[in-house]
Amino acid sequence: MMSPPYRSYVLVSLDQIARNYRNVRAAVGPGVEVMAVVKADAYGHGALEVSRTLIGEGAKWLAVSSVDEGVALRCAGIAARLLVMAGFLPSEREALVEYHLTPTAHSLEDVAELDRMAQRSGHPLAFHLKIDSGMGRLGTRAQPGEIVAALRALRLARMEGLMTHFASAADFTSPQTDQQVARFNACYTALREAGMAIDYAHLSSTNAIGYARTDAWHNMVRAGHALYGYVSPPRGAARKQILDVQPALAWKAKILAVKDIPEGTLVGYGGTFRAPHAMRIAILAAGYADGVFHRLSNRGKVIAAGQLTPILGTVSMDLTTIDVSHAMGLQPGDAVTLLGTEGDVTLDAQQIARVAGTISYNILSSISARVRRVYV
Ligand SMILES: *Cc1c(COP(=O)(O)O)cnc(C)c1O
């Protein structure tokens, strides 16, 4: 393949994302709906292209973080159900209704407000209610009796789903997830016993799927990271990981310049690297403004001509310098791999994250908008 004419670009395999989605569906079985999480531009893979692909695979539900993200997908013609997971501001209420987005209510005040919004519009409005089962972030901490009373007072809004989110689903040294499941189930049962219909009950994201916490699946799961090929490493005595997913993205940067430097040359801001001997360096057309973590300065690696090679000196805003002493054939215009596979050498988001002191989600979602997405 001719290399794309961009300074830095990601190659996204939509086929791999489709395979990952099918793998998640097969793992949870036919009785469990898979909501595909496409927030944060589908973790850097491109929300619109990923959404179209997954809808083509039969996805009925997509999840985004914000009203803005939902509106962008609607405007691009996405007709699937869209759950907005991370709250809505007063200024976003109108768009929520106008674009037929499905809000997540995080408090009983949200529930009452959604009913007022439905009445103003004259149309029914379905929402999902999130409970804080122990993560201590978004979600209501109201008692089941209070929730029942709030739901009974509704006129046009309707609770369609009951959900929660786990703080530590890959951590088998902690009882936190089991406690969260127990609290969720107590609330779920109390609501059902009070006669509340609940079409969807959902708690699990990638790690609770991958580590087969089947008691937390109910009839819907929310998969994000797994669609993009990752399951977090476990802690403690985890159950066997049941997903077989692969990364779908490779990130490249072109070489802008190649040069030979003598022993003792300082490289980059702050002069933090001093060449211990004569070497050949290449300057790459990507820096921290593209998503190359500054923390990778003098620590990270890239793949050049099929070999792992170190980043030299500090990562700059637009440029990164690497050692190419092993690859005398590399020229300006050639591409190196910042994330991905060349031959039998792989550098994935989890490996990069370990060196950068962060998590793979952070690496993927930090690849900035100016890095062109190319679909293969
Ligand atoms: C991001 C998110 C998910 C998806 O999590 P993954 O670990 O990427 O599968 C699910 N639910 C909520 C509430 C989220 O914010």
Side-chain angles (χ1 to χ4, degrees), residues 35 37 39 43 63-65 83 85-86 106 130 137 163-166 202-209 221-228 230 232 361:
M35 178 183 277
V37 179
K39 66 188 180 190
Y43 297 41
V64 293
S65 277
L83 182 70
M85 297 192 297
H106 294 111
K130 185 177 193 176
R137 205 180 59 179
M163 62 188 280
T164 194
H165 192 49
F166 294 133
H202 47 111
L203 312 78
S204 297
S205 50
T206 292
N207 293 337
I209 304 168
V221 294
R222 303 183 304 271
H225 216 28
L227 301 179
Y228 311 106
Y230 294 91
S232 301
Y361 295 73

Side-chain angles (χ1 to χ4, degrees), residues 251-253 273 282 284 286 291-313 315 320-324 326 336-342 345-357 363:
W251 181 13
K252 310 276 184 180
F273 179 81
L284 305 179
V292 181
F293 274 58
H294 190 266
R295 284 284 299 275
L296 295 176
S297 299
N298 284 315
R299 313 165 70 162
K301 290 190 162 61
V302 309
I303 309 172
Q307 277 188 46
L308 282 174
T309 193
I311 290 172
L312 305 179
V315 174
T320 299
T321 302
I322 60 169
D323 181 6
V324 291
H326 68 282
V336 308
T337 300
L338 303 178
L339 189 167
T341 297
E342 278 188 31
V345 184
T346 291
L347 198 55
D348 70 21
Q350 287 173 337
Q351 291 168 296
I352 297 169
R354 269 194 295 279
V355 179
I363 299 293

Side-chain angles (χ1 to χ4, degrees), residues 33-300:
E33 186 81 36
V34 176
M35 178 183 277
V37 179
V38 297
K39 66 188 180 190
D41 204 26
Y43 297 41
H45 295 65
L48 181 57
E49 291 77 3
V50 170
S51 296
R52 285 185 180 137
T53 300
L54 296 178
I55 288 167
E57 292 293 319
K60 301 278 179 289
W61 281 90
L62 304 176
V64 293
S65 277
S66 65
V67 171
D68 270 357
E69 290 181 343
V71 169
L73 289 177
R74 277 283 181 268
C75 289
I78 298 296
R81 294 294 301 274
L82 284 169
L83 182 70
V84 176
M85 297 192 297
F88 52 94
L89 296 167
S91 58
E92 295 174 319
R93 287 174 188 157
E94 213 169 303
L96 198 53
V97 172
E98 188 179 337
Y99 292 90
H100 301 288
L101 307 177
T102 304
T104 303
H106 294 111
S107 66
L108 300 186
E109 292 71 41
D110 279 355
V111 168
E113 176 55 33
L114 288 168
D115 199 44
R116 287 192 290 275
M117 286 160 57
Q119 291 183 53
R120 275 198 298 274
S121 77
H123 296 288
L125 175 59
F127 65 89
H128 291 213
L129 176 64
K130 185 177 193 176
I131 63 168
D132 177 1
S133 59
M135 177 155 180
R137 205 180 59 179
L138 284 173
T140 179
R141 296 176 67 88
Q143 294 305 304
E146 301 171 292
I147 296 174
V148 168
L151 295 178
R152 287 210 171 115
L154 295 178
R155 298 174 61 181
L156 263 184
R158 181 175 79 87
M159 184 184 75
E160 179 184 32
L162 186 71
M163 62 188 280
T164 194
H165 192 49
F166 294 133
S168 321
D171 186 353
F172 289 82
T173 67
S174 154
Q176 191 175 11
T177 306
D178 291 333
Q179 288 165 356
Q180 288 196 258
V181 172
R183 287 201 197 109
F184 180 88
N185 284 339
C187 182
Y188 176 83
T189 304
L191 265 54
R192 291 297 299 266
E193 282 173 355
M196 301 290 127
I198 303 174
D199 298 350
Y200 297 104
H202 47 111
L203 312 78
S204 297
S205 50
T206 292
N207 293 337
I209 304 168
Y211 295 108
R213 293 189 185 264
T214 53
D215 58 334
W217 289 356
H218 280 257
N219 66 347
M220 180 181 262
V221 294
R222 303 183 304 271
H225 216 28
L227 301 179
Y228 311 106
Y230 294 91
V231 178
S232 301
R235 300 185 71 204
R239 297 184 192 113
K240 189 171 146 5
Q241 207 283 98
I242 59 168
L243 294 176
D244 177 22
V245 293
Q246 298 296 327
L249 173 155
W251 181 13
K252 310 276 184 180
K254 295 275 176 66
I255 292 174
L256 290 169
V258 172
K259 60 189 183 186
D260 296 310
I261 56 173
E263 179 187 338
T265 304
L266 300 180
V267 173
Y269 285 120
T272 62
F273 179 81
R274 175 189 293 269
H277 44 71
M279 50 200 309
R280 177 167 286 197
I281 62 175
I283 295 88
L284 305 179
Y288 59 77
D290 301 280
V292 181
F293 274 58
H294 190 266
R295 284 284 299 275
L296 295 176
S297 299
N298 284 315
R299 313 165 70 162

